[in-house]
Protein backbone atom coordinates (compact mmCIF):
# COMPACT_ATOMS: atom_id res chain seq x y z
CA UNK A 1 0.00 0.00 0.00
CA UNK A 2 0.93 3.66 -0.15
CA UNK A 3 3.37 5.01 2.35
CA UNK A 4 3.63 8.41 3.96
CA UNK A 5 3.73 11.11 1.33
CA UNK A 6 4.99 14.67 1.68
CA UNK A 7 4.77 17.69 -0.55
CA UNK A 8 6.50 19.55 -1.92
CA UNK A 9 9.67 17.49 -2.15
CA UNK A 10 11.71 20.67 -2.40
CA UNK A 11 10.90 24.24 -1.42
CA UNK A 12 13.05 27.29 -1.90
CA UNK A 13 11.88 30.48 -0.27
CA UNK A 14 13.15 33.90 0.66
CA UNK A 15 13.86 34.91 4.20
CA UNK A 16 10.78 36.35 5.86
CA UNK A 17 8.25 34.46 3.76
CA UNK A 18 5.81 31.90 5.16
CA UNK A 19 5.86 28.27 3.99
CA UNK A 20 3.48 25.35 4.32
CA UNK A 21 4.61 21.75 4.23
CA UNK A 22 2.12 18.93 3.79
CA UNK A 23 2.04 15.37 5.06
CA UNK A 24 -0.33 12.57 4.09
CA UNK A 25 -0.03 9.72 6.58
CA UNK A 26 -0.64 6.08 5.87
CA UNK A 27 -4.36 5.38 5.75
CA UNK A 28 -5.62 4.23 9.14
CA UNK A 29 -2.69 5.62 11.09
CA UNK A 30 -3.91 7.83 13.89
CA UNK A 31 -0.57 9.10 15.17
CA UNK A 32 1.43 11.62 13.13
CA UNK A 33 4.83 13.14 13.85
CA UNK A 34 6.96 15.91 12.41
CA UNK A 35 10.76 15.88 12.62
CA UNK A 36 13.46 18.17 11.30
CA UNK A 37 16.80 16.98 9.94
CA UNK A 38 19.60 19.52 9.63
CA UNK A 39 23.36 19.32 9.42
CA UNK A 40 23.95 21.05 12.69
CA UNK A 41 21.24 19.52 14.85
CA UNK A 42 20.68 16.09 13.32
CA UNK A 43 17.18 14.66 13.59
CA UNK A 44 14.89 16.53 15.98
CA UNK A 45 11.36 15.76 17.05
CA UNK A 46 9.05 18.74 16.48
CA UNK A 47 5.40 17.92 17.11
CA UNK A 48 3.02 15.03 17.49
CA UNK A 49 -0.68 14.45 16.81
CA UNK A 50 -2.86 11.64 18.07
CA UNK A 51 -6.08 11.57 16.07
CA UNK A 52 -7.94 14.84 16.51
CA UNK A 53 -6.44 15.62 19.90
CA UNK A 54 -4.54 18.83 20.54
CA UNK A 55 -0.93 18.35 19.48
CA UNK A 56 2.06 18.09 21.74
CA UNK A 57 4.06 21.16 20.72
CA UNK A 58 6.93 20.65 23.13
CA UNK A 59 9.53 20.18 20.41
CA UNK A 60 8.71 23.20 18.28
CA UNK A 61 11.81 25.44 18.09
CA UNK A 62 9.97 28.76 18.13
CA UNK A 63 6.51 30.31 17.96
CA UNK A 64 7.01 30.81 14.23
CA UNK A 65 6.32 27.09 13.84
CA UNK A 66 2.80 25.71 13.97
CA UNK A 67 1.02 22.63 12.73
CA UNK A 68 -2.48 21.44 12.24
CA UNK A 69 -4.15 18.22 11.33
CA UNK A 70 -7.46 18.20 9.56
CA UNK A 71 -9.93 15.38 10.04
CA UNK A 72 -7.36 13.30 11.84
CA UNK A 73 -5.51 12.71 8.58
CA UNK A 74 -3.54 15.24 6.53
CA UNK A 75 -1.21 17.55 8.43
CA UNK A 76 0.32 20.89 7.52
CA UNK A 77 3.44 22.32 9.13
CA UNK A 78 3.62 26.09 8.77
CA UNK A 79 6.72 28.17 9.30
CA UNK A 80 6.12 31.90 9.46
CA UNK A 81 8.71 34.55 8.67
CA UNK A 82 11.26 31.94 7.66
CA UNK A 83 14.88 32.36 8.70
CA UNK A 84 17.99 30.85 7.16
CA UNK A 85 18.39 28.54 10.16
CA UNK A 86 15.05 26.96 9.22
CA UNK A 87 16.73 25.38 6.19
CA UNK A 88 16.49 21.64 6.73
CA UNK A 89 14.70 18.50 5.62
CA UNK A 90 11.33 18.20 7.31
CA UNK A 91 10.23 14.61 7.82
CA UNK A 92 6.78 13.35 8.61
CA UNK A 93 6.01 9.96 10.13
CA UNK A 94 2.87 8.09 11.05
CA UNK A 95 2.04 5.10 13.19
CA UNK A 96 -1.04 3.05 13.92
CA UNK A 97 -1.55 4.67 17.29
CA UNK A 98 0.25 6.35 20.11
CA UNK A 99 2.31 3.93 22.06
CA UNK A 100 5.71 2.42 22.35
CA UNK A 101 4.94 -0.64 20.27
CA UNK A 102 3.90 1.13 17.13
CA UNK A 103 6.52 1.56 14.44
CA UNK A 104 6.79 5.01 12.94
CA UNK A 105 6.85 5.02 9.14
CA UNK A 106 8.65 7.96 7.60
CA UNK A 107 7.95 9.92 4.46
CA UNK A 108 10.68 11.05 2.02
CA UNK A 109 10.78 14.54 3.49
CA UNK A 110 10.55 18.11 2.23
CA UNK A 111 13.85 19.88 1.69
CA UNK A 112 13.42 23.53 2.67
CA UNK A 113 15.98 26.09 1.60
CA UNK A 114 15.68 29.63 2.93
CA UNK A 115 17.71 32.14 0.95
CA UNK B 1 16.14 13.87 29.39
CA UNK B 2 16.96 11.01 27.11
CA UNK B 3 19.88 11.08 24.69
CA UNK B 4 21.54 8.85 22.13
CA UNK B 5 25.22 8.85 21.23
CA UNK B 6 26.69 7.40 18.09
CA UNK B 7 30.42 7.92 18.57
CA UNK B 8 31.44 7.16 14.99
CA UNK B 9 30.53 9.81 12.43
CA UNK B 10 32.01 7.81 9.54
CA UNK B 11 32.93 4.15 9.20
CA UNK B 12 34.59 2.54 6.19
CA UNK B 13 34.29 -1.20 5.69
CA UNK B 14 35.36 -3.47 2.87
CA UNK B 15 32.64 -5.31 1.05
CA UNK B 16 32.18 -8.74 2.61
CA UNK B 17 33.66 -7.70 5.94
CA UNK B 18 31.76 -7.62 9.20
CA UNK B 19 30.26 -4.44 10.60
CA UNK B 20 29.48 -3.05 14.02
CA UNK B 21 27.95 0.38 14.56
CA UNK B 22 27.96 1.67 18.10
CA UNK B 23 25.08 3.26 19.95
CA UNK B 24 24.85 4.35 23.57
CA UNK B 25 21.72 5.73 25.17
CA UNK B 26 20.82 7.60 28.28
CA UNK B 27 17.33 7.11 29.62
CA UNK B 28 15.98 6.67 33.12
CA UNK B 29 13.47 3.94 32.42
CA UNK B 30 13.38 0.86 30.23
CA UNK B 31 14.32 2.10 26.78
CA UNK B 32 12.63 1.27 23.54
CA UNK B 33 15.43 1.25 20.99
CA UNK B 34 15.51 1.40 17.22
CA UNK B 35 17.93 1.41 14.33
CA UNK B 36 16.93 3.22 11.15
CA UNK B 37 18.75 3.44 7.81
CA UNK B 38 18.59 6.36 5.41
CA UNK B 39 19.85 5.97 1.87
CA UNK B 40 20.52 9.05 -0.29
CA UNK B 41 17.24 10.66 -1.29
CA UNK B 42 15.25 8.10 0.68
CA UNK B 43 13.21 8.30 3.84
CA UNK B 44 14.13 6.56 7.05
CA UNK B 45 13.57 2.82 7.06
CA UNK B 46 13.32 0.78 10.23
CA UNK B 47 15.95 -1.97 10.45
CA UNK B 48 15.03 -3.39 13.84
CA UNK B 49 13.69 -2.54 17.27
CA UNK B 50 14.01 -3.65 20.87
CA UNK B 51 11.18 -3.41 23.35
CA UNK B 52 11.73 -6.26 25.79
CA UNK B 53 12.62 -9.93 25.98
CA UNK B 54 15.51 -11.41 24.08
CA UNK B 55 18.35 -8.91 24.06
CA UNK B 56 19.55 -9.99 20.61
CA UNK B 57 17.12 -8.80 17.98
CA UNK B 58 17.07 -9.64 14.31
CA UNK B 59 16.13 -7.15 11.66
CA UNK B 60 15.81 -6.79 7.95
CA UNK B 61 18.65 -7.00 5.43
CA UNK B 62 20.65 -9.36 7.65
CA UNK B 63 21.18 -6.87 10.48
CA UNK B 64 21.03 -7.64 14.18
CA UNK B 65 21.51 -5.65 17.34
CA UNK B 66 22.21 -6.52 20.94
CA UNK B 67 20.80 -4.63 23.89
CA UNK B 68 23.20 -4.46 26.84
CA UNK B 69 21.63 -2.74 29.81
CA UNK B 70 24.86 -2.76 31.84
CA UNK B 71 26.63 -0.81 29.11
CA UNK B 72 23.62 1.27 28.00
CA UNK B 73 24.38 0.12 24.49
CA UNK B 74 22.47 -1.11 21.47
CA UNK B 75 25.11 -1.86 18.82
CA UNK B 76 24.15 -2.82 15.30
CA UNK B 77 25.94 -5.67 13.55
CA UNK B 78 26.08 -7.41 10.22
CA UNK B 79 28.37 -10.36 9.48
CA UNK B 80 29.05 -9.46 5.86
CA UNK B 81 28.28 -6.09 4.29
CA UNK B 82 27.20 -5.49 0.72
CA UNK B 83 27.84 -2.38 -1.36
CA UNK B 84 24.12 -1.60 -1.10
CA UNK B 85 24.50 -1.17 2.67
CA UNK B 86 26.25 2.17 2.14
CA UNK B 87 23.96 4.67 3.86
CA UNK B 88 23.42 6.73 7.01
CA UNK B 89 22.44 4.75 10.09
CA UNK B 90 20.55 6.22 13.01
CA UNK B 91 20.02 4.82 16.47
CA UNK B 92 16.98 6.12 18.32
CA UNK B 93 15.22 5.82 21.65
CA UNK B 94 11.49 6.24 22.11
CA UNK B 95 10.56 8.27 25.12
CA UNK B 96 8.01 10.72 26.29
CA UNK B 97 8.47 14.35 25.31
CA UNK B 98 7.10 17.18 27.40
CA UNK B 99 4.35 16.50 29.85
CA UNK B 100 1.92 14.91 27.50
CA UNK B 101 3.66 11.61 27.02
CA UNK B 102 4.10 12.01 23.28
CA UNK B 103 6.17 9.30 21.72
CA UNK B 104 8.66 11.21 19.64
CA UNK B 105 11.91 9.51 18.78
CA UNK B 106 15.21 10.88 20.04
CA UNK B 107 17.89 10.17 17.45
CA UNK B 108 21.64 9.96 17.53
CA UNK B 109 23.63 12.08 15.09
CA UNK B 110 24.04 9.15 12.74
CA UNK B 111 26.92 7.08 11.35
CA UNK B 112 27.80 7.34 7.69
CA UNK B 113 28.77 3.91 6.36
CA UNK B 114 31.12 3.73 3.39
CA UNK B 115 31.69 0.42 1.63
CA UNK B 116 35.02 -0.14 -0.10
CA UNK B 117 35.10 -2.54 -3.06
Amino acid sequence: GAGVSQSPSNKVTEKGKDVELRCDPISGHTALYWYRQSLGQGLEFLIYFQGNSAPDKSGLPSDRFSAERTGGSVSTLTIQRTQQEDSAVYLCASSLAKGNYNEQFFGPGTRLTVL
Amino acid sequence: AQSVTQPDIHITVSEGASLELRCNYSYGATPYLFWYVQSPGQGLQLLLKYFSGDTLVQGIKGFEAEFKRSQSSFNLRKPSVHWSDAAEYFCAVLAAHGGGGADGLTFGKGTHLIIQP
Side-chain angles (χ1 to χ4, degrees):
Chain A
V4 177
S5 61
Q6 294 186 245
S7 61
S9 55
N10 282 283
K11 176 73 176 178
V12 180
T13 190
E14 294 179 347
K15 178 181 173 181
K17 296 286 181 68
D18 297 352
V19 295
E20 286 189 351
L21 312 179
R22 176 188 168 105
C23 172
D24 275 283
I26 293 172
S27 178
H29 282 194
T30 61
L32 187 148
Y33 310 79
W34 283 98
Y35 294 85
R36 178 170 71 173
Q37 185 174 23
S38 59
L39 282 175
Q41 301 299 319
L43 274 156
E44 306 170 272
F45 166 74
L46 296 179
I47 191 169
Y48 156 82
F49 293 87
Q50 173 57 42
N52 294 320
S53 302
D56 179 330
K57 304 178 182 180
S58 58
L60 293 178
S62 80
D63 58 8
R64 296 185 294 104
F65 287 70
S66 63
E68 63 177 18
R69 189 176 185 191
T70 53
S73 180
V74 172
S75 176
T76 302
L77 178 69
T78 301
I79 309 173
Q80 295 178 309
R81 306 180 302 281
T82 52
Q83 304 295 311
Q84 288 183 332
E85 62 262 27
D86 298 334
S87 295
V89 176
Y90 289 82
L91 295 169
C92 176
S94 70
S95 66
L96 274 172
K98 175 182 185 293
N100 296 328
Y101 297 95
N102 292 295
E103 176 184 348
Q104 294 181 27
F105 293 83
F106 283 81
T110 293
R111 181 175 296 278
L112 175 66
T113 302
V114 182
L115 302 176
Chain B
Q2 64 281 350
S3 66
V4 176
T5 302
Q6 294 179 247
D8 303 306
I9 298 174
H10 300 277
I11 281 190
T12 300
V13 178
S14 298
E15 189 169 14
S18 63
L19 170 71
E20 183 169 30
L21 302 182
R22 295 184 290 166
C23 171
N24 292 96
Y25 69 89
S26 173
Y27 185 56
T30 300
Y32 298 92
L33 297 161
F34 303 79
W35 275 98
Y36 281 86
V37 60
Q38 186 177 39
S39 299
Q42 303 293 315
L44 288 160
Q45 181 182 23
L46 180 67
L47 286 175
L48 46 79
K49 58 191 176 187
Y50 171 78
F51 289 151
S52 64
D54 193 348
T55 56
L56 183 64
V57 293
Q58 303 296 320
I60 62 171
K61 303 184 179 185
F63 286 92
E64 66 178 27
E66 186 171 11
F67 170 62
K68 293 185 178 180
R69 185 185 297 276
S70 61
Q71 298 177 18
S72 297
S73 70
F74 188 57
N75 294 350
L76 181 72
R77 301 194 294 248
K78 186 170 184 177
S80 176
V81 298
H82 186 262
W83 65 266
S84 60
D85 293 325
E88 192 84 15
Y89 291 80
F90 294 92
C91 182
V93 64
L94 184 64
H97 287 261
D103 298 323
L105 292 162
T106 297
F107 286 91
K109 296 291 189 186
T111 297
H112 184 62
L113 177 62
I114 300 166
I115 307 296
Q116 281 183 336

